[in-house]
Amino acid sequence: MWTLKALLFDVDGTLADTERDGHRVAFNRAFAEAGLDWHWGEALYGKLLKVSGGKERLRYFMDNWQPKMDASVDTDGLVAALHRAKTRHFLELTSAGLIPLRPGVERLLREARAEGVRLAIATTTTPENVTALLSATLGEQSIGWFDAIAAGDCVPRKKPAPDIYFHALKRLGLDAKECLALEDSDNGLKSSLGAGIDTLVTVNGYTEKQDFTGAAAVLSQLGEPGSGFDVLAGDAGTATFVDLSFLRRLFARRRFPSGQAAIP
Ligand code: XBP
Ligand code: MG
């Protein structure tokens, strides 16, 4: 019988709303610093988010939105340099406390720890972005709450490929059937489902109209007592915010549709 042993959290869009006012702003600061007249507005960035990975997104932009660069330009070197600068700017924004956790995230993390449900991260973003976000919002010791932080280039293929979730499961030493993933985007959901992990989706402004077929449930947010979520898909019963008992019920329904749940 399967019991819920770990929660695997995506970062960008799930732990925190990092894209519009974080990564996008950091990219634009890097472009300006490099003397480039590139500017990613909110709408264009929403289109570029189709591609996971900041370096891959830069390359996608250069290949599809910019005139072909002169053959003498070392485009690989340019992408690497711009991404390093962008990461520096993102870390500045994070450490300035400008990127808060989404509602309910801290409460759920602390509840999982208190009840012995293990925690992991499975993200496309650069590892130092993760540790900076956790340190700035929960304190440096919170990095140790996670038994595995699977991030960025540690796997050959980024989301929607399942590689990062397989890597996290391996680091946890758990079967996909013992876990739940929390995601915000279609790329993220494809990745977690591809690894066989049932997934709760909490959408944001960039992802709310995406296709979340296969998600255990789709909510507007995790919510807090007194400030509940909207249900976009799936059955939330009478719950108004996501806590561990909500996740256990979701897990049991997916794992044991006939109702013989193994809820401790
Ligand atoms: C979202 C991403 C990341 C960020 C940018 O990651 O695709 O690439 O947009 O971060 P996830 P980097 O939703 O999996 O957390 O520039 O460091 O890639
Ligand atoms: Mg995400």
Side-chain angles (χ1 to χ4, degrees), residues 10-12 19 23 27 45 49 51-55 57 83 86 122-126 129 159 184:
D10 164 56
V11 174
D12 294 299
E19 295 292 0
H23 291 298
F27 275 115
Y45 193 66
L49 277 172
V51 174
S52 291
K55 295 188 287 294
R57 190 168 306 137
H83 193 257
K86 171 265 178 185
T123 176
T124 303
T125 198
T126 302
N129 293 347
K159 297 177 184 177
D184 73 300

